[in-house]
Amino acid sequence: MSEGFHFYTQHHLVEMLGLNARDPGELLDGIKAVPASSIYYHTHHFLQKHHYLSPQPPNDFAFWLMDILHQNRLGEEFLSIDTVRYCNLESLRKRFVVLLEDYLSNGGANTDCLPGFEFHFLACKTFILPMPYVAHNLAEFAVILKKVSIRSLYFHMFEARMRLGVPDNDFSQWLKGIGEEGLANEISRLDPYNMTLESLRRKIIRMVEGRVQS
Amino acid sequence: MSRVDDYRAIVGDEEVDELYLLAERLKGKSVQNINSTATGGGVAEILSRMVPLLRDLGIDAHWDVIKGNEKFFTVTKEMHNALHGLNVEVSKDDLEYFLEVNRQNQEEMDLFGDIVFIHDPQPIGLVEKREHNGNKWIWRCHIDISEPQKATMDFLRGFIDRYDAAVFSAPSFARSDIAAKQILISPSIDPLSEKNRELPQGVIDSVTERYCLDRNRPIVTQISRFDYFKDPLGVIEVYKKVKDHIDCQLVLAGGGATDDPEGPQVLDQIRSAVQSDPDIHIIYLPPSSDLEVNALQRASTVVLQKSLREGFGLTVAEALWKAKPVIATATGGIPLQIEHRHSGILAYSTAGMAHYLMELLSEPEYAAKLGMNGREHIRNNFLITRHIKDYLCLFISLYHKEDMVYL
């Protein structure tokens, strides 16, 4: 018999790196220099902060390039990066570097922002805690998923894959282990970056409950 | 006094359950908060709510206040103004006196906490005593230090770098010249406090009657300490521009703090600027006036916060929590609380604020939508439960160097 699914949750403590960017060139320098936890923070924190809004705001780099520097074409390049295709932060960082280097080498304007609107590089420290919930079957899994915080959902869908180097989200991995290959693949195919966490929760619960009833 | 479990109805069971999970990891650790005033101002207000809740979570939390006389608080107010970027010079003698008072407090206080949590510059020098024990020290800066006077910042840096972590309220306060780890934690409001809890209509009516406010005409309010940085004279100018077109009333209400000796002087200047306009209500509130503040905010049509500098601007969060449309200057932590034209209005000038005030007074449906969006933004990001969670993570972080911490 397969082991049950142990739910975890996570919390972030935000660190300020004391590093700012005033133009795309400095943004490039910063992206190259900051720790991976900073790339992670700037591309993921909005998922948890704006869970009641739809559509989601873009990642911080895209937001700054578009809303502050008004470099809309470059900003849209950042905005449209398919984060779900990048399996680790270094490959994501490389993509940002290539976009900015191409932009600058092709004569893109290295516009300054107004004073007070600099990009401030932040990073985060993550605390992972076990929750007192274990699901032993699909029905239990759906019940628990309804009551855990969105941080728990977030941890299992994003954190594990992007920062812990596991190949798939935690839910799909467990489902495969209990012979639910089809359901696992269905969840893997979701693009969690393009929906609110509450929508994501509802979608997964619907899939699991559908499978229980079938 | 509220219990942690009382917040379940507001933020959900799962949020409160996770606070208990985090607090368990700090079992046996004592946290000693130290600041410079027991009443008045945002820091004392947060601590008066935070410390009992931490204790309710099982944390051995304490709160002590340093001793200082009028001369000391005049010096620290000068330092405060210099850190906010005002062109004031803090003399060498004043800095010596600042150190002297800090050293007297070092001698008199028992710095027993496993974690000593110092709030703001006034008690920052207590860290000189840390050599005598192996505890962890945190400095919590509640003010905007994005453009400080260099000499004052240089003086303080010598102390800041001796802390394990320095905590700031907004990303723009980050500094490249500080060696201590810099942490971003926004402050918060307590939805169950006297200042923010739901009020029966009768209570709101009795407060507005007491201050002779006419509920049939729009009420525009700024609640703040009487302080130059809150620009009360600018608020009067905004009101006068709008009053030509819309028959509204202005309420400027606030109090003082024992560590702020400038209050009475500012109040005098406001009173002379008001002259004899019966629709401008200057209300000086004693420290125990949270109910009145709550009622005045709830009775307001639009709330202003025209700060020139702002540590964070919690009065914005208070008004938004009451679903009030807010127009505020984009300074300090205010842009974190207001997304322009979604959860409020950000203004950059007196003329701009007057323009937006006219707009909101003329378009009540739009104003109401801003207020509702603002309330949800505060619920998700600026309530005391989130603040406690951040502090628990901060305390735990002092014992873990790695980026990913398994607890």
Side-chain angles (χ1 to χ4, degrees):
Chain A
M1 189 176 157
S2 166
E3 203 190 330
F5 185 85
H6 292 254
F7 282 82
Y8 283 74
T9 189
Q10 51 85 45
H11 295 270
H12 292 315
L13 181 67
V14 182
E15 292 177 20
M16 305 197 294
L17 300 176
L19 180 65
N20 303 326
R22 284 167 299 183
D23 56 48
E26 289 186 0
L27 184 68
L28 172 62
D29 294 341
I31 287 176
K32 283 180 177 171
V34 293
S37 63
S38 178
I39 303 294
Y40 174 76
Y41 178 81
H42 289 298
T43 52
H44 286 75
H45 80 99
F46 64 90
L47 290 163
Q48 291 184 88
K49 275 203 170 160
H50 293 267
H51 52 88
Y52 62 97
L53 283 178
S54 186
Q56 301 284 5
N59 67 62
D60 288 343
F61 304 127
F63 176 83
W64 188 71
L65 288 166
M66 294 169 81
D67 274 45
I68 303 299
L69 293 189
H70 305 294
Q71 297 297 327
N72 291 340
R73 185 177 291 212
L74 177 61
E76 281 184 3
E77 298 265 15
F78 272 74
L79 179 64
S80 59
I81 282 179
D82 192 3
T83 315
V84 77
R85 289 180 52 203
Y86 293 84
C87 54
N88 64 55
L89 293 164
E90 287 313 320
S91 57
L92 192 56
R93 185 205 303 264
K94 267 185 204 152
R95 181 68 191 137
F96 292 143
V97 166
V98 166
L99 282 177
L100 280 164
E101 283 180 344
D102 284 356
Y103 170 81
L104 291 168
S105 63
N106 288 322
N110 200 23
T111 325
D112 264 1
C113 67
L114 288 170
F117 289 87
E118 297 82 3
F119 186 91
H120 301 282
F121 283 96
L122 306 174
C124 65
K125 196 176 182 98
T126 303
F127 302 89
I128 300 161
L129 294 109
M131 304 275 290
Y133 303 125
V134 184
H136 299 93
N137 53 50
L138 292 184
E140 284 180 11
F141 181 84
V143 168
I144 296 172
L145 193 52
K146 283 177 188 169
K147 68 180 176 187
V148 295
S149 70
I150 55 159
R151 283 186 296 277
S152 176
L153 173 73
Y154 175 89
F155 174 76
H156 292 296
M157 287 299 289
F158 296 88
E159 194 97 29
R161 202 181 137 269
M162 191 56 102
R163 293 186 83 188
L164 302 178
V166 293
D168 206 344
N169 71 76
D170 285 347
F171 297 154
S172 295
Q173 298 222 89
W174 176 69
L175 289 166
K176 281 177 189 162
I178 61 168
E180 292 288 348
E181 196 87 19
L183 185 55
N185 290 337
E186 245 187 292
I187 294 175
S188 298
R189 276 197 298 273
L190 291 171
D191 180 355
Y193 290 92
N194 279 317
M195 63 183 93
T196 66
L197 283 169
E198 284 302 344
S199 304
L200 180 62
R201 186 206 302 260
R202 280 195 299 274
K203 238 175 211 168
I204 296 173
I205 289 169
R206 211 177 309 134
M207 286 173 177
V208 174
E209 286 181 340
R211 174 70 184 138
V212 170
Q213 284 157 16
S214 67
Chain B
M1 187 50 74
S2 307
R3 305 291 305 265
V4 173
D5 286 337
D6 297 338
Y7 294 83
R8 290 181 182 277
I10 298 171
V11 297
D13 286 333
E14 67 281 10
E15 295 294 322
V16 173
D17 289 343
E18 291 190 13
L19 291 181
Y20 282 106
L21 283 179
L22 282 167
E24 265 175 35
R25 269 65 185 181
L26 288 160
K27 232 174 215 161
K29 300 276 186 228
S30 57
V31 179
Q32 184 180 16
N33 291 275
I34 301 174
N35 79 323
S36 64
T37 177
T39 55
V43 180
E45 188 178 325
I46 289 174
L47 287 174
S48 67
R49 305 293 299 179
M50 176 76 76
V51 171
L53 290 172
L54 286 172
R55 294 183 75 86
D56 193 31
L57 283 165
I59 307 287
D60 186 18
H62 302 262
W63 175 15
D64 294 315
V65 177
I66 57 164
K67 286 184 193 155
N69 55 20
E70 199 182 335
K71 183 179 173 189
F72 175 72
F73 289 127
T74 303
V75 172
T76 58
K77 182 68 184 184
E78 274 177 10
M79 291 171 77
H80 176 94
N81 289 342
L83 289 172
H84 270 303
L86 215 63
N87 193 14
V88 290
E89 197 182 322
V90 187
S91 71
K92 206 175 159 203
D93 284 351
D94 285 347
L95 293 178
E96 280 301 323
Y97 190 70
F98 173 85
L99 286 176
E100 192 185 315
V101 174
N102 264 270
R103 284 176 186 147
Q104 282 164 9
N105 277 285
Q106 283 172 30
E107 293 308 311
E108 290 170 18
M109 293 181 86
D110 178 11
L111 300 171
F112 60 86
D114 293 310
I115 297 167
V116 181
F117 200 179
I118 303 291
H119 296 263
D120 274 343
Q122 299 92 333
I124 196 170
L126 294 179
V127 74
E128 285 185 328
K129 206 179 171 183
R130 82 168 290 179
E131 278 74 17
H132 302 299
N133 51 36
N135 46 14
K136 305 282 185 186
W137 285 66
I138 305 168
W139 183 56
R140 198 337 168 184
C141 179
H142 294 268
I143 58 182
D144 177 350
I145 56 159
S146 52
E147 292 173 56
Q149 290 294 325
K150 189 177 176 305
T152 307
M153 193 64 216
D154 286 347
F155 173 77
L156 288 181
R157 192 183 305 108
F159 297 107
I160 299 170
D161 286 346
R162 294 164 81 168
Y163 284 80
D164 295 291
V167 183
F168 300 97
S169 297
S172 56
F173 301 170
R175 300 196 60 83
S176 57
D177 55 0
I178 289 179
K181 198 172 264 301
Q182 297 176 66
I183 304 295
L184 174 64
I185 297 180
S186 301
S188 62
I189 60 163
D190 185 343
L192 298 180
S193 68
E194 194 74 345
K195 200 189 261 189
N196 296 306
R197 69 180 172 88
E198 294 294 325
L199 287 182
Q201 190 58 46
V203 174
I204 300 170
D205 292 344
S206 72
V207 171
T208 52
E209 272 167 34
R210 197 190 319 158
Y211 295 117
C212 305
L213 299 174
D214 174 6
R215 300 298 297 280
N216 295 313
R217 291 184 295 145
I219 299 171
V220 178
T221 303
Q222 174 161 301
I223 307 262
S224 269
R225 268 198 298 167
F226 292 107
D227 182 325
Y228 292 114
F229 284 125
K230 311 297 179 186
D231 197 18
L233 299 176
V235 174
I236 293 170
E237 212 179 314
V238 168
Y239 157 82
K240 284 180 175 168
K241 281 177 189 284
V242 173
K243 180 76 171 175
D244 287 343
H245 307 280
I246 297 176
D247 183 17
C248 57
Q249 305 156 86
L250 175 66
V251 174
L252 280 171
T258 53
D259 62 351
D260 180 8
E262 276 180 3
Q265 197 183 329
V266 178
L267 196 56
D268 286 346
Q269 286 190 6
I270 296 168
R271 284 188 172 132
S272 15
V274 167
Q275 293 167 338
S276 57
D277 186 336
D279 282 334
I280 302 182
H281 302 261
I282 309 297
I283 304 173
Y284 185 83
L285 297 166
S288 56
S289 305
D290 288 351
L291 184 79
E292 285 77 6
V293 169
N294 190 343
L296 288 171
Q297 285 170 329
R298 287 182 191 278
S300 301
T301 316
V302 175
V303 172
L304 305 181
Q305 190 59 54
K306 200 183 175 308
S307 304
L308 303 172
R309 289 285 173 144
E310 196 53 86
F312 194 75
L314 278 179
T315 48
V316 169
E318 288 165 14
L320 290 175
W321 178 244
K322 295 163 185 104
K324 291 295 161 184
V326 177
I327 309 171
T329 38
T331 186
I334 290 174
L336 298 176
Q337 301 171 71
I338 291 181
E339 191 183 332
H340 186 55
R341 290 202 176 277
H342 175 76
S343 55
I345 298 286
L346 291 175
Y348 297 85
S349 63
T350 301
M353 188 168 273
H355 166 81
Y356 291 125
L357 180 57
M358 292 265 288
E359 184 179 49
L360 294 194
L361 291 177
S362 309
E363 296 288 344
E365 280 180 27
Y366 171 51
K369 193 167 176 232
L370 293 179
M372 290 310 295
N373 287 345
R375 179 175 165 88
E376 285 313 300
H377 186 54
I378 299 305
R379 187 199 304 280
N380 285 300
N381 298 296
F382 297 107
L383 296 187
I384 195 166
T385 41
R386 190 275 309 151
H387 199 177
I388 291 172
K389 185 205 77 179
D390 283 352
Y391 275 172
L392 295 174
C393 288
L394 168 66
F395 302 152
I396 293 169
S397 79
L398 298 170
Y399 302 95
H400 297 272
K401 281 205 162 65
E402 62 277 23
D403 271 350
M404 303 278 285
V405 182
Y406 290 86
L407 297 170

